[in-house]
Each structure stands twice: as C-alpha cells, then as structure tokens.
Amino acid sequence: MARAMTLYKEAIKTGAANGGELNETLEGAFGELPAETPFMRALVDTAKRIVLIDLRHAMQQD
C-alpha cells in the first residue's frame, strides 16, 4: 500500500494523474453499497468518511 501511495503521489506530481481518481473511485464504490434504511445509509456514509480521512492522511505523508 505504501508503494502504491508513493507511485500515485509521483503520478500526481508529474501530471499523469489529476489527484481525484481515488476520491471518485471511493465515492462510486460506497455509493453502490446497499443501504435500504436510513441507519444503513448512515453507516455507509460514516465508513466512507473514515476511508477518505485515512486517504487524505496517507496523501500528506512524505
């Protein structure tokens, strides 16, 4: 995972990636999870927020 993050950061620096790909992928993936009740939707949304926080933290590490 660390190597993948390093490669992704390098791709962003060189312009090969725009920096939004991971967010877009996570938004799409979490959006497809079944959540038939408000409680289930809240759980999915919370999980998504946690993953996005972790991702932002990983992207800031150098």
Side-chain angles (χ1 to χ4, degrees), residues 5-48:
M5 292 304 292
T6 300
L7 290 171
Y8 185 61
K9 289 180 192 179
E10 197 60 36
I12 292 171
K13 287 179 189 174
T14 62
N18 67 26
E21 295 87 359
L22 291 177
N23 284 339
E24 293 166 10
T25 300
L26 289 172
E27 289 287 339
F30 278 101
E32 294 297 319
L33 290 174
E36 297 152 3
T37 66
F39 178 71
M40 290 172 64
R41 177 53 38 205
L43 288 176
V44 168
D45 289 343
T46 299
K48 180 177 69 175

